[in-house]
Amino acid sequence: MSIATIMPAAWLRRRWPWLAVAMLAGPVAAADQVGAFRNLLLRNPYADPAGGNFGRGIVGGDFDDDGVDDLAIAESGSTRLRIALGAAWNLPTTSPVIPFLPSTVTTPFQSGVLASGDFDGDGRDEIAIGHPFVSVGGAAGAGTVYVLDRAANGTWSVQVTIRAGGTFPGSPVAQAHLGNALAVGDFDDDGYDDLAIGLRGQVVDGQSGAGAVMVVYGTAGGLAAPGARLFDRSNDGLTFAPRESDRYGWALAAGDFDDDGYDELVVGVPNATCPNGTDRGGGVVALAGSAGGVVTSATRIWRPGVLGIGGDCATSGGFGSALAAGEFDSLIVTPDDLAIGAPTTAGGGAVHVIYGSFDGLDAARNQRLTPPVRPGIDSSAARFGQVLANARLAYECAFITCLGHSLAIGAPFTDVDGVDAAGAVWLVMPLLGESSLDPASIRPILPKAPLRIAGPHANEQFGASLAVGDFNDDSRTDLAIGAYLYDEADATDAGAVQLLYQSDYLFVDPFE
């Protein structure tokens, strides 16, 4: 007689959720892939899909203020932005006859950099689109950010255009690439979302590619130039001098790591110099929020192998290339935590997790995750940690405590079943009642059946983009996975987005 026979399923799930689902669902497949129930493949919908790279950028948000999350999908090969408005339906009992109401918006330039936030407080999320390679005033690659707003009648328009110079700080600089990264947070706790914008190629103190970040604040009229400010290695409150090719602003994240009500701004500097002054293992800089916005009075820097952080700076690669802030603890009230991708670290990449405290980010419980060894999966060049996303991807509660956020880790260059760069996404779950992620829980999502994307396919780069949202309004977060080099019939690199809906089994239960 098995444990599942003598112990109620609910008790097993509360006590040992991963053990319970494994016993109740039957044997685990060879690669131990997580399950999927009524998953959807969103294909490139256009008549000329070849080279469109549909899914190069994806983001969730409520763009029509109906309480159901929507999905925006960018093509890096065109100026089309696909808007898929979510619809309410019950996963266990109905089929998604019309899972989304789609439309297309034309953007000023090609881009795959997206973020969403309610910058004007009207209840509808706007979409910020970074165009880092656009020329401005004769400066090639200076970059621009457009913010698109959907009116109540469904009409989309550009709410604001953000460029260095003019009413915004700075001036256009060739190859500054303003808009290469975007992050949304409320840095001044005024109820309006604010936007942080990366300029990874900005020249600072004569150093090419040193990088910078522009912060623009939300108002009742949307993002506005007054109060906007540039931050870089020369003015961020630290004593580090800018260096050529630091790439300050390569990645960005916002989170309240000390639970004081103000979001902090975290800046990825993936080419930052190690303490030995020679190797460039990378770093992240955390700037505090305040009633006046982002300030430099309590800035901190984190690097691998330094100040108690796991790993070794000299042998790490790209620490700070991707960032995600989320509440990974399964406790009742906790500050946000920070996940940091280091995708070019030897061995296929790594992800570091630093946990928040009421004094801010604290190295005491930090973790370093690396791709596990699984049959049929070669992670030696996977770029594990190139993309990160977090959300409550496992619906599990006991009493008044629920599972914290899970971490989704994109590894788009993973070889699957001998197929080069097919790509993979790894999920790491928290355990109920615990205060950290559980490394033993890490499991893959692979581009193969029963996922609709099937495969694996060579150079598909499944996991090159990630987005989360409750797209069917069942109070459970779903996961969208971009594969922008997916081939559709004879259309090379058409691109696609694989959507996984959360249910009682998805993200918790293995395939039977």
PDB file of all heavy atoms in Angstrom, residues 229-242:
ATOM      1  N   ARG A 229      15.869  61.899 -14.026  1.00  0.00           N
ATOM      2  CA  ARG A 229      17.280  62.019 -13.658  1.00  0.00           C
ATOM      3  C   ARG A 229      18.074  60.878 -14.258  1.00  0.00           C
ATOM      4  O   ARG A 229      17.565  59.768 -14.435  1.00  0.00           O
ATOM      5  CB  ARG A 229      17.419  62.024 -12.125  1.00  0.00           C
ATOM      6  CG  ARG A 229      18.830  62.234 -11.615  1.00  0.00           C
ATOM      7  CD  ARG A 229      18.885  62.289 -10.107  1.00  0.00           C
ATOM      8  NE  ARG A 229      20.264  62.333  -9.630  1.00  0.00           N
ATOM      9  CZ  ARG A 229      20.629  62.271  -8.348  1.00  0.00           C
ATOM     10  NH1 ARG A 229      19.683  62.178  -7.404  1.00  0.00           N
ATOM     11  NH2 ARG A 229      21.897  62.297  -7.995  1.00  0.00           N
ATOM     12  N   LEU A 230      19.349  61.161 -14.566  1.00  0.00           N
ATOM     13  CA  LEU A 230      20.284  60.135 -15.030  1.00  0.00           C
ATOM     14  C   LEU A 230      21.192  59.691 -13.891  1.00  0.00           C
ATOM     15  O   LEU A 230      21.694  60.509 -13.118  1.00  0.00           O
ATOM     16  CB  LEU A 230      21.149  60.689 -16.166  1.00  0.00           C
ATOM     17  CG  LEU A 230      20.525  60.784 -17.557  1.00  0.00           C
ATOM     18  CD1 LEU A 230      21.440  61.568 -18.486  1.00  0.00           C
ATOM     19  CD2 LEU A 230      20.259  59.401 -18.123  1.00  0.00           C
ATOM     20  N   PHE A 231      21.398  58.377 -13.805  1.00  0.00           N
ATOM     21  CA  PHE A 231      22.327  57.800 -12.829  1.00  0.00           C
ATOM     22  C   PHE A 231      23.386  56.998 -13.580  1.00  0.00           C
ATOM     23  O   PHE A 231      23.079  56.306 -14.555  1.00  0.00           O
ATOM     24  CB  PHE A 231      21.593  56.875 -11.852  1.00  0.00           C
ATOM     25  CG  PHE A 231      20.563  57.568 -11.007  1.00  0.00           C
ATOM     26  CD1 PHE A 231      19.249  57.680 -11.439  1.00  0.00           C
ATOM     27  CD2 PHE A 231      20.897  58.112  -9.769  1.00  0.00           C
ATOM     28  CE1 PHE A 231      18.285  58.314 -10.673  1.00  0.00           C
ATOM     29  CE2 PHE A 231      19.944  58.755  -8.992  1.00  0.00           C
ATOM     30  CZ  PHE A 231      18.635  58.857  -9.444  1.00  0.00           C
ATOM     31  N   ASP A 232      24.633  57.073 -13.099  1.00  0.00           N
ATOM     32  CA  ASP A 232      25.713  56.269 -13.668  1.00  0.00           C
ATOM     33  C   ASP A 232      26.760  56.005 -12.596  1.00  0.00           C
ATOM     34  O   ASP A 232      26.556  56.362 -11.425  1.00  0.00           O
ATOM     35  CB  ASP A 232      26.326  56.958 -14.900  1.00  0.00           C
ATOM     36  CG  ASP A 232      26.830  58.369 -14.606  1.00  0.00           C
ATOM     37  OD1 ASP A 232      27.559  58.550 -13.605  1.00  0.00           O
ATOM     38  OD2 ASP A 232      26.492  59.296 -15.370  1.00  0.00           O
ATOM     39  N   ARG A 233      27.864  55.395 -12.982  1.00  0.00           N
ATOM     40  CA  ARG A 233      28.870  55.027 -11.978  1.00  0.00           C
ATOM     41  C   ARG A 233      29.549  56.234 -11.343  1.00  0.00           C
ATOM     42  O   ARG A 233      30.228  56.089 -10.315  1.00  0.00           O
ATOM     43  CB  ARG A 233      29.941  54.124 -12.610  1.00  0.00           C
ATOM     44  CG  ARG A 233      29.449  52.758 -13.081  1.00  0.00           C
ATOM     45  CD  ARG A 233      28.881  51.896 -11.985  1.00  0.00           C
ATOM     46  NE  ARG A 233      29.809  51.537 -10.967  1.00  0.00           N
ATOM     47  CZ  ARG A 233      30.566  50.425 -10.982  1.00  0.00           C
ATOM     48  NH1 ARG A 233      30.517  49.608 -12.021  1.00  0.00           N
ATOM     49  NH2 ARG A 233      31.359  50.128  -9.983  1.00  0.00           N
ATOM     50  N   SER A 234      29.390  57.407 -11.920  1.00  0.00           N
ATOM     51  CA  SER A 234      30.045  58.585 -11.335  1.00  0.00           C
ATOM     52  C   SER A 234      29.159  59.322 -10.337  1.00  0.00           C
ATOM     53  O   SER A 234      29.652  60.184  -9.606  1.00  0.00           O
ATOM     54  CB  SER A 234      30.466  59.559 -12.452  1.00  0.00           C
ATOM     55  OG  SER A 234      29.330  60.154 -13.057  1.00  0.00           O
ATOM     56  N   ASN A 235      27.841  58.993 -10.297  1.00  0.00           N
ATOM     57  CA  ASN A 235      26.957  59.751  -9.405  1.00  0.00           C
ATOM     58  C   ASN A 235      25.949  58.881  -8.674  1.00  0.00           C
ATOM     59  O   ASN A 235      24.940  59.388  -8.183  1.00  0.00           O
ATOM     60  CB  ASN A 235      26.225  60.840 -10.188  1.00  0.00           C
ATOM     61  CG  ASN A 235      25.184  60.287 -11.155  1.00  0.00           C
ATOM     62  OD1 ASN A 235      25.026  59.073 -11.280  1.00  0.00           O
ATOM     63  ND2 ASN A 235      24.477  61.165 -11.843  1.00  0.00           N
ATOM     64  N   ASP A 236      26.198  57.575  -8.583  1.00  0.00           N
ATOM     65  CA  ASP A 236      25.204  56.689  -7.972  1.00  0.00           C
ATOM     66  C   ASP A 236      25.429  56.476  -6.482  1.00  0.00           C
ATOM     67  O   ASP A 236      24.811  55.606  -5.867  1.00  0.00           O
ATOM     68  CB  ASP A 236      25.149  55.345  -8.700  1.00  0.00           C
ATOM     69  CG  ASP A 236      26.444  54.551  -8.606  1.00  0.00           C
ATOM     70  OD1 ASP A 236      27.393  55.009  -7.936  1.00  0.00           O
ATOM     71  OD2 ASP A 236      26.510  53.464  -9.218  1.00  0.00           O
ATOM     72  N   GLY A 237      26.314  57.253  -5.883  1.00  0.00           N
ATOM     73  CA  GLY A 237      26.542  57.161  -4.448  1.00  0.00           C
ATOM     74  C   GLY A 237      27.661  56.231  -4.054  1.00  0.00           C
ATOM     75  O   GLY A 237      28.011  56.134  -2.873  1.00  0.00           O
ATOM     76  N   LEU A 238      28.248  55.530  -5.018  1.00  0.00           N
ATOM     77  CA  LEU A 238      29.385  54.655  -4.740  1.00  0.00           C
ATOM     78  C   LEU A 238      30.675  55.351  -5.160  1.00  0.00           C
ATOM     79  O   LEU A 238      30.659  56.420  -5.767  1.00  0.00           O
ATOM     80  CB  LEU A 238      29.225  53.327  -5.490  1.00  0.00           C
ATOM     81  CG  LEU A 238      27.978  52.515  -5.106  1.00  0.00           C
ATOM     82  CD1 LEU A 238      27.817  51.313  -6.029  1.00  0.00           C
ATOM     83  CD2 LEU A 238      28.054  52.056  -3.662  1.00  0.00           C
ATOM     84  N   THR A 239      31.804  54.746  -4.865  1.00  0.00           N
ATOM     85  CA  THR A 239      33.097  55.366  -5.162  1.00  0.00           C
ATOM     86  C   THR A 239      33.757  54.764  -6.389  1.00  0.00           C
ATOM     87  O   THR A 239      34.918  55.027  -6.660  1.00  0.00           O
ATOM     88  CB  THR A 239      34.040  55.213  -3.954  1.00  0.00           C
ATOM     89  OG1 THR A 239      34.216  53.814  -3.670  1.00  0.00           O
ATOM     90  CG2 THR A 239      33.479  55.914  -2.740  1.00  0.00           C
ATOM     91  N   PHE A 240      33.010  53.970  -7.153  1.00  0.00           N
ATOM     92  CA  PHE A 240      33.581  53.322  -8.327  1.00  0.00           C
ATOM     93  C   PHE A 240      33.602  54.286  -9.508  1.00  0.00           C
ATOM     94  O   PHE A 240      32.599  54.940  -9.806  1.00  0.00           O
ATOM     95  CB  PHE A 240      32.773  52.079  -8.704  1.00  0.00           C
ATOM     96  CG  PHE A 240      32.782  51.019  -7.645  1.00  0.00           C
ATOM     97  CD1 PHE A 240      31.820  51.005  -6.646  1.00  0.00           C
ATOM     98  CD2 PHE A 240      33.753  50.038  -7.638  1.00  0.00           C
ATOM     99  CE1 PHE A 240      31.815  50.034  -5.657  1.00  0.00           C
ATOM    100  CE2 PHE A 240      33.764  49.058  -6.662  1.00  0.00           C
ATOM    101  CZ  PHE A 240      32.798  49.056  -5.669  1.00  0.00           C
ATOM    102  N   ALA A 241      34.721  54.369 -10.193  1.00  0.00           N
ATOM    103  CA  ALA A 241      34.829  55.200 -11.385  1.00  0.00           C
ATOM    104  C   ALA A 241      34.294  54.427 -12.585  1.00  0.00           C
ATOM    105  O   ALA A 241      34.474  53.217 -12.693  1.00  0.00           O
ATOM    106  CB  ALA A 241      36.285  55.589 -11.624  1.00  0.00           C
ATOM    107  N   PRO A 242      33.613  55.118 -13.501  1.00  0.00           N
ATOM    108  CA  PRO A 242      33.143  54.434 -14.707  1.00  0.00           C
ATOM    109  C   PRO A 242      34.312  53.860 -15.491  1.00  0.00           C
ATOM    110  O   PRO A 242      35.393  54.462 -15.566  1.00  0.00           O
ATOM    111  CB  PRO A 242      32.458  55.558 -15.493  1.00  0.00           C
ATOM    112  CG  PRO A 242      32.180  56.628 -14.493  1.00  0.00           C
ATOM    113  CD  PRO A 242      33.270  56.539 -13.485  1.00  0.00           C
TER     114      PRO A 242
END
